[in-house]
Amino acid sequence: MSLASVKEFFHNLGRENDILEFPVSSATVALAAEAVGTEPARIAKTLSFMTPDGPILVVAAGDTKVDNRKFKDTFHCKATFLTPEQVLEYTGHPVGGVCPFALATPVPVFLDESLRRFETVFPAAGSANSAIELSPAELEGVCEGSRWVTVCKIS
């Protein structure tokens, strides 16, 4: 159902044909990079966290890790990942296909500055075998109310 909601979301933008579906898994950064045929850094991974104010999503380049100090300075709490069940409940997307659009519930989306190094990036599209190619500006545009932050470091 999640891929269907993403297709509907992009249909409303006239971009449903831009969704890439693969015959292989793209559930991890490495698998997604292989499926797309790009470097892992250009995979836009969507990380799900719980804060005192509720869940948030952070979209970051595939070659980054959360910098705990920067995360705490930005969000005023420790970085605590959602469980797979919570991810599905709040986003409507299964782990391995989580993306920052067509969300089941309103979840604040934060885009890490690490993405701006690239002309285009590839976030998942709601399933463990899909993606869509977007520029950082397009990603910001489809993530309604998103904000740019620096909470990750290149690993």
Side-chain angles (χ1 to χ4, degrees):
M1 191 64 182
S2 186
L3 176 60
S5 67
V6 173
K7 284 183 175 183
E8 181 179 334
F9 177 84
F10 280 102
H11 171 77
N12 294 332
L13 300 173
R15 302 225 22 213
E16 70 275 13
N17 293 328
D18 294 342
I19 295 174
L20 307 168
E21 291 185 70
F22 312 112
V24 296
S25 176
S26 58
T28 67
V29 169
L31 291 172
E34 188 174 321
V36 169
T38 191
E39 63 183 298
R42 288 185 58 209
I43 301 303
K45 60 186 177 182
T46 302
L47 306 170
S48 312
F49 300 97
M50 184 56 75
T51 71
D53 296 327
I56 64 168
L57 301 177
V58 174
V59 185
D63 64 345
T64 64
K65 290 184 179 180
V66 173
D67 181 313
N68 289 320
R69 178 81 259 154
K70 290 178 182 177
F71 188 96
K72 189 168 187 174
D73 289 347
T74 301
F75 298 113
H76 312 292
C77 64
K78 180 182 174 189
T80 304
F81 285 103
L82 297 181
T83 66
E85 296 78 21
Q86 289 173 315
V87 169
L88 187 58
E89 175 188 348
Y90 290 117
T91 70
H93 307 306
V95 171
V98 178
C99 55
F101 27 78
L103 300 171
T105 61
V107 178
V109 175
F110 298 88
L111 306 173
D112 190 76
E113 289 287 339
S114 61
L115 296 167
R116 291 196 200 232
R117 298 177 283 159
F118 305 105
E119 192 172 312
T120 61
V121 294
F122 295 87
S127 71
N129 68 325
S130 64
I132 186 165
E133 184 175 14
L134 300 168
S135 70
E138 288 171 326
L139 182 60
E140 180 180 18
V142 297
C143 297
E144 197 172 307
S146 61
R147 192 177 99 196
W148 288 95
V149 296
T150 303
V151 295
C152 294
K153 58 185 173 187
I154 296 174
S155 53

